[in-house]
Amino acid sequence: MYLIRRTFKIQKGKTRDAAEAAKQVSAKYKGVGQRTPVWIYVSGPTTPGPADTIYMDWVEEKLENPYREENKSPDGLKDLFQELYQYVEESKIEFFQYYGDTFEGNNPFTN
C-alpha cells in the first residue's frame, strides 16, 4: 500500500483558492472511481510550516501508470487542473510505501 503526496507551492494570498481547486480535482477523480478519498491540507499564515503550500494525500493499493489505456481521463478534468495551476508556482509528487500491516485492516484513508 502506498501513500501519494502532491505538494504545491502557491502564489502568496491564493492558498485557499488553490485548495478549493484541488478539492474539485480530487472530487472528480473520486467521482469516477479513479482515486480513494484525498486529504487536502494547507500550511501558511496561521500554521507553522512552509508558507502558501497545499498538500494532497491519498492511498493506493498499487502504483500504476495514470496514462494506461483503460484509465480514461474524466470529463472536465483538464479545466479543473487549469483552475488549480493558475495559482501554482512549483509542485512535486512523493511516494511512500507503508511498512508492514500499518493499519491492521482499518485504513483511515479509505474507510
Side-chain angles (χ1 to χ4, degrees):
M1 185 176 302
Y2 300 89
L3 172 76
I4 302 169
R5 174 173 297 142
R6 296 282 312 255
T7 304
F8 301 94
K9 175 68 174 148
I10 304 300
Q11 298 166 4
K12 186 170 181 61
K14 297 295 183 179
T15 304
R16 292 193 185 278
D17 294 330
E20 185 57 39
K23 181 179 171 183
Q24 291 176 22
V25 166
S26 299
K28 178 66 80 169
Y29 276 121
K30 186 174 184 279
V32 298
Q34 291 185 5
R35 191 167 286 170
T36 59
V38 176
W39 292 15
I40 299 173
Y41 48 102
V42 302
S43 63
T46 61
T47 58
D52 305 305
T53 305
I54 64 171
Y55 308 85
M56 299 169 65
D57 286 3
W58 68 96
V59 172
E60 296 289 347
E61 289 292 327
K62 59 185 177 178
L63 297 176
E64 295 185 285
N65 185 335
Y67 302 109
R68 62 194 183 279
E69 187 174 328
E70 72 276 7
N71 195 49
K72 302 298 181 202
S73 182
D75 291 336
L77 189 62
K78 183 178 178 181
D79 293 337
L80 293 175
F81 268 111
Q82 286 177 336
E83 176 73 19
L84 171 59
Y85 271 87
Q86 71 178 323
Y87 307 116
V88 174
E89 294 180 348
E90 9 177 310
S91 69
K92 68 178 181 177
I93 189 166
E94 299 172 282
F95 302 89
F96 305 93
Q97 185 173 10
Y98 283 105
Y99 177 75
D101 190 13
T102 300
F103 300 115
E104 298 178 9
N106 185 19
N107 183 341
F109 287 96
T110 59
N111 294 335

